[in-house]
Amino acid sequence: MAFDSTYQTEDESLKELLMEMTQYPFDPTPKTEIIARINTAQNQMAAHHIDALFLTHKPDIYYFSGTAQDCYLYIEKDHDPILFVKRYLPRVQQETALKNIEPIDSIKDIPKLIEHHFKKHPGTCGLAFDVVPVKDFHFYKNLFKNTRFVDGSPVIEACRQIKSPWEIDQMKKAALVSKQTFDFMAENITPGISEMEFCGMFEAYSRTLGHSGKLLTRHYRLEGFPFHLMSGKNGGIPGALDSPLCGTGTSNAYPYGAGPKLIKENEPILIDFGTVIDGYHMDESRMFVIGKLPDRAEDASKASIEILYALLDKMRPGVPMDEIFETAVTIAKKLSFGDQFLGLPGLKSKFIGHGIGLELVENPILAKGKKTLLKPGMVFAIEPKFIFKNKFAAGIESVIHITENGSDFLSMTENKIFSYHRKWQ
């Protein structure tokens, strides 16, 4: 991969972090991070009356161990965790700060090794019910015959939803790569190219900066993809996504995101791009136009930016999440865009933002009716967007970090409409 060392950023430490990404072996997650996460998990397990956690989902294993090799992680409430490794042991030893590592030939070896370490199996054990398949659940029940499995997802979520300063630094790396990619889009967008072809261009560029390519989402019916470009009337076509905007996709089998339509001058173009660097995601949308936006599209685009900044001012510790949603809806109505905000009538999304980190979409969700309070360390992708049926889409998406006293942008891409004028003639 390549890093543009001439790229300008006020935070020189970000340049250093990005430069480090070009070298293998990669820097491990600091031991202090792993210890703090395990301690938080154990405290949450005690609060939820869970004796142990058995983690099988890769992002969860990576979060608590620092490795995403073929492993299973077992955490007891009152003991050090054990990482059970199928493959590849030398890389696990290089990557993790955990001291108890057990190589296994089969997952069936795990129960006897737990009994060897702790003399017994746990009475209650948490599984991530939100991601563990039913078939696997029954398999685990058969392995641990005297253990009652319960939902460990609330414990995992309570840990992961609060980002540490180290994690914020990782997300800043993703934000810088996202900004560089949006700058590349601005320099290379041209009329006559198809939506999908242009997505291929800027995705390929972003991969040279370290973008891992695969966007992770937690729900099995939700797909993460970086080719979400909607130009002109394609922005006004609703579809399968639980989102205000969908796009045509490339076929009936993949009916969302960019498609074969050619990009034209003087039409609204919304590009929603997900970046993942060192496991951490960034999710941003910006409006583009080659020439001049139609007045209605320009007004809607400016309205989305106005809503974004209003929510930034509103988001602080102690504020209920549904107040953020209702604030956005109220402003959209005052600006005369209530009918188009967050989807067509009857198809409106019931959230204005989502958690983001090791997965593109994480809990918590800033949703209608959700009374959960904002806390320092939470990070959200905020996406005020409008759809004008069969005409166009307009909107913006930026990532906001809840601080001790308020909130600030993690996104580095400028919150503006990217407008360009016939420089290709």
Side-chain angles (χ1 to χ4, degrees):
M1 65 186 73
F3 172 65
D4 182 0
S5 61
T6 65
Y7 192 81
Q8 297 301 309
T9 171
E10 294 180 2
D11 191 344
E12 290 298 319
S13 64
L14 288 177
K15 280 189 179 181
E16 295 177 8
L17 286 171
L18 284 165
M19 290 294 287
E20 290 170 1
M21 291 160 44
T22 65
Q23 301 177 9
Y24 179 84
F26 308 115
D27 285 341
T29 305
K31 184 176 182 179
T32 52
E33 281 286 313
I34 298 300
I35 291 173
R37 295 172 188 181
I38 295 294
N39 288 340
T40 301
Q42 290 173 326
N43 290 336
Q44 288 291 329
M45 290 158 62
H48 287 82
H49 307 289
I50 296 175
D51 297 326
L53 276 180
F54 185 53
L55 301 180
T56 65
H57 185 54
K58 280 287 183 72
D60 294 338
I61 294 170
Y62 176 74
Y63 178 80
F64 287 107
S65 73
T67 185
Q69 297 291 316
D70 189 1
C71 306
Y72 300 87
L73 181 59
Y74 180 78
I75 306 173
E76 281 218 348
K77 181 177 61 178
D78 300 315
H79 298 92
D80 290 338
I82 304 175
L83 190 61
F84 298 101
V85 181
K86 284 193 70 176
R87 64 178 72 87
Y88 174 58
L89 184 61
R91 287 187 64 172
V92 170
Q93 292 169 326
Q94 185 180 62
E95 294 167 1
T96 187
L98 299 179
K99 62 182 181 181
N100 293 332
I101 302 172
E102 288 278 6
I104 58 172
D105 293 322
S106 165
I107 190 173
K108 294 179 181 179
D109 297 336
I110 292 177
K112 62 185 178 184
L113 289 169
I114 289 175
E115 192 168 2
H116 171 74
H117 278 269
F118 304 116
K119 310 306 179 188
K120 61 183 178 63
H121 291 165
T124 58
C125 186
L127 286 174
F129 279 4
D130 59 333
V131 291
V132 172
V134 173
K135 184 177 180 180
D136 287 6
F137 169 72
H138 287 296
F139 177 76
Y140 302 144
K141 280 185 66 177
N142 190 52
L143 278 183
F144 297 86
K145 295 185 183 297
N146 297 316
T147 295
R148 182 171 66 93
F149 283 102
V150 298
D151 188 8
S153 302
V155 171
I156 298 165
E157 178 185 328
C159 298
R160 286 185 48 184
Q161 71 179 352
I162 306 299
K163 272 62 178 180
S164 69
W166 182 84
E167 288 185 281
I168 296 300
D169 281 345
Q170 307 315 300
M171 297 192 74
K172 287 180 179 178
K173 289 159 55 176
L176 182 55
V177 169
S178 184
K179 174 176 170 50
Q180 290 176 272
T181 305
F182 273 97
D183 288 344
F184 176 89
M185 297 176 197
E187 290 298 318
N188 291 276
I189 193 168
T190 181
I193 191 173
S194 75
E195 292 178 342
M196 183 55 81
E197 183 179 355
F198 186 54
C199 286
M201 288 173 58
F202 64 71
E203 285 177 55
Y205 172 77
S206 195
R207 294 296 292 273
T208 70
L209 303 176
H211 191 311
S212 300
K214 175 71 172 178
L215 305 181
L216 300 181
T217 59
R218 195 159 183 90
H219 197 280
Y220 77 101
R221 285 174 60 87
L222 179 64
E223 294 188 69
F225 54 93
F227 45 89
H228 202 190
L229 186 158
M230 293 148 286
S231 64
K233 64 181 182 180
N234 278 7
I237 299 176
L241 288 183
D242 182 13
S243 167
L245 312 178
C246 184
T248 64
T250 54
S251 69
N252 291 342
Y254 207 97
Y256 22 74
K261 178 186 172 298
L262 302 184
I263 294 171
K264 300 177 182 178
E265 294 184 74
N266 303 316
E267 67 176 0
I269 304 164
L270 190 147
I271 304 179
D272 186 341
F273 184 62
T275 305
V276 56
I277 297 291
D278 282 3
Y280 284 86
H281 291 72
M282 186 62 40
D283 193 6
E284 296 184 303
S285 302
R286 294 295 183 272
M287 293 298 297
F288 288 76
V289 64
I290 304 167
K292 186 180 187 305
L293 278 178
D295 290 344
R296 187 69 165 156
E298 183 171 5
D299 290 344
S301 299
K302 290 179 178 177
S304 69
I305 296 172
E306 182 175 338
I307 293 171
L308 176 67
Y309 278 94
L311 298 188
L312 178 72
D313 290 340
K314 179 78 173 178
M315 294 172 70
R316 64 181 67 89
V319 175
M321 294 183 184
D322 63 345
E323 285 191 18
I324 307 304
F325 178 86
E326 296 300 339
T327 297
V329 171
T330 298
I331 297 173
K333 290 178 179 178
K334 286 182 178 178
L335 296 173
S336 301
F337 289 110
D339 288 345
Q340 298 83 18
F341 190 53
L342 297 182
L344 298 174
L347 293 174
K348 291 187 179 295
S349 296
K350 295 180 174 59
F351 65 92
I352 189 62
H354 56 82
I356 183 170
L358 286 175
E359 288 161 303
L360 183 73
V361 179
E362 299 182 345
N363 282 321
I365 307 297
L366 294 177
K368 181 178 181 179
K370 188 161 186 176
K371 302 298 182 182
T372 307
L373 304 182
L374 295 178
K375 297 178 182 179
M378 289 181 172
V379 178
F380 297 96
I382 304 298
E383 45 182 326
K385 293 174 180 174
F386 304 91
I387 181 171
F388 295 78
K389 189 174 182 179
N390 297 324
K391 294 181 180 178
F392 63 88
I396 194 167
E397 182 173 16
S398 285
V399 175
I400 291 177
H401 170 220
I402 308 300
T403 62
E404 291 294 331
N405 301 308
S407 60
D408 57 25
F409 285 116
L410 282 187
S411 291
M412 299 180 185
T413 308
E414 190 173 353
N415 296 308
K416 69 173 186 177
I417 301 166
F418 287 79
S419 179
Y420 300 90
H421 299 277
R422 302 181 68 84
K423 61 182 180 181
W424 299 271
Q425 290 187 347

